[in-house]
Amino acid sequence: MSQIVINGAKALSGEINIQGAKNSVLPVLAATILCDKECHVHNCPDLSDVNTSIKILKQLGCKCARQGNTVSVDSSDMNNYKIPENLMREMRSSVVFLGAIVGKTGKAVISSPGGCELGPRPIDLHLSALNKMGVCIREEHGFLYCDAPEGLYGAEINLSFPSVGATENIILAAVKAKGMTVIHNAAKEPEISDLADFLNSAGARIYGAGSDTVYIHGVEKLSATEHSIIPDRIAAVTYMASAVMTNGKIVINDIMPSHMMAMLSLFYESGCNLKIYKNSLEISRGDKLLRVPKIRSLVYPGFPTDAGPIIISMLTLADGTSMFVENIFENRFRYIDELKRLGAKIKTEGKIAVIEGVSQLLGAPCKATDLRGGAALVCAGLAAKDTTVIGEIGHIERGYENLVDNFKKLGADIYYR
Ligand code: EPZ
């Protein structure tokens, strides 16, 4: 399977269930290292990034098994603190294991996570925080050698940017540190609260997760626990946009609308019909898809950067011109050249994309440049007349469970080749 083929312009209809959140399951699987007994994590999506996390856990000496959408981890026999370079390269976000490994063993060796498709992905905020908590960090030949000779102790951390990964790593390092850690200007994404819920269910003492100040009182031990991962809000928006772009009507289940407010208001602003229930919603396009004059990506609860490519793809079919300002990543527009191959009219200048709506997209061969850019191409291909062939689909497989099967269920003519 190296390509996704779509014969587009078919209105989607029906209903699907939304997967567990990729960006929550990764830090939660890392957090299982800190528990002294076997943990069961439910609603884990079947994604290549999750499979890489399982490989890392096994590499560390943990017992790890998947049963359907439940991943069970027992780290009592963990005997390693090094993540091999190939696994670090396979998944950039494996840097979130750093805080958990150091928190468990007092040591860690990881290769410096390279940049990724979104541009440089520095981890200076992660490292300076761990350093304040007693971790000595030496960078040599592309590897980071971390060691806490006196063990980890609590510290007061002021993040200059509310980094999701840095907030997660600090929490993971702090839960069993001596004393209290306070994170000021912490990230507030729902995935942070989900990580804290998992850890607190195992006996951690974390307060304020989801706000900009998080308090972690270090504890001696963490027990066994079970936890179910929150729904993936970005996957949810991807299916919503595909229904709007194909002028269909779908229902998506197993969502948490409260995690999606900034995105839902954008669908309202573009004239969509939305019926929102406790854990599901129904969406269809209005009489016409209205342009959205200005959208800017912000940290939570603002409009999430990960939904940017999906929404830009949708607005290629709007009536009028929209503008998107990307404030989080330096290089998030690489997929736009691929979208333009399907007839999209988009101009970019720095962090600004100007999207001039067209009446119809036309299928074309293209390739995914990154996870969400790839998803944007799938949405465009579903709306486009004729055939779209998407290459480099490994990017998409990182974050979307059963993508092709789900769209087939909704009536799309889509298949792997
Ligand atoms: C997480 O990445 C997500 N990944 C990203 O999702 C998401 O886009 C991002 O948060 C923002 O919401 C996972 O959770 C696995 P950040 P992360 O640290 O933690 C700069 C997807 O599509 N920064 O909040 O890497 C950084 O360069 C992925 O699912 C520093 O400068 O995001 C970026 O410009 C893509 N120094 C900004 O902060 C640091 O030490 C946001 O980064 C850390 C970050």
Side-chain angles (χ1 to χ4, degrees), residues 129-134 151-157 170 173-182 216-218:
L130 291 178
N131 188 249
K132 279 185 85 170
M133 297 171 72
L152 285 161
Y153 41 82
E156 187 144 14
I157 313 281
I170 298 165
V175 284
K176 295 173 93 169
K178 289 188 270 311
M180 181 157 88
T181 298
V182 185
I216 307 111
H217 296 266

Side-chain angles (χ1 to χ4, degrees), residues 244 247 269-272 285-291 317-320:
V244 172
N247 203 8
E269 195 176 347
S270 59
C272 296
R285 197 173 78 179
D287 298 339
K288 61 182 174 182
L289 182 57
L290 306 177
R291 75 180 190 115
L317 291 170
D319 178 34

Side-chain angles (χ1 to χ4, degrees), residues 22-24 26-27 49 91-96 116-128 160-168 187 189 191 232-234 298-300 304-306 326-330 332 370-372 398-399:
K22 167 182 89 82
N23 292 347
S24 178
L26 302 183
D49 272 6
M91 183 180 76
R92 192 212 151 274
S93 37
S94 35
V95 72
V96 79
C116 77
E117 316 81 16
L118 308 181
R121 299 291 289 274
I123 58 169
D124 54 303
L125 299 175
H126 302 235
L127 300 183
S128 57
S160 56
F161 177 86
S163 155
V164 171
T167 303
E168 289 165 347
E189 275 69 7
E191 292 77 23
D232 194 311
R233 54 203 170 100
I234 309 300
L298 295 167
V299 296
Y300 194 86
T305 174
D306 295 346
E326 170 55 40
N327 292 312
I328 305 296
F329 286 108
E330 278 175 28
R332 186 131 221 183
D370 62 274
L371 166 56
R372 306 303 174 185
R398 283 186 42 225

Side-chain angles (χ1 to χ4, degrees), residues 44-111:
C44 291
D46 180 12
L47 306 171
S48 54
D49 272 6
V50 173
N51 298 334
T52 303
S53 298
I54 291 172
K55 283 188 226 170
I56 290 172
L57 288 167
K58 288 181 174 170
Q59 174 75 26
L60 295 172
C62 303
K63 292 194 197 71
C64 192
R66 174 192 271 278
Q67 186 88 26
N69 272 3
T70 295
V71 174
S72 300
V73 184
D74 180 348
S75 69
S76 44
D77 295 336
M78 181 170 158
N79 55 13
N80 186 7
Y81 53 82
K82 295 181 186 171
I83 302 181
E85 183 174 7
N86 63 311
L87 291 180
M88 281 297 293
R89 289 267 175 218
E90 217 172 284
M91 183 180 76
R92 192 212 151 274
S93 37
S94 35
V95 72
V96 79
F97 278 84
L98 176 58
I101 297 170
V102 169
K104 171 96 173 186
T105 67
K107 290 177 184 288
V109 177
I110 64 168
S111 76

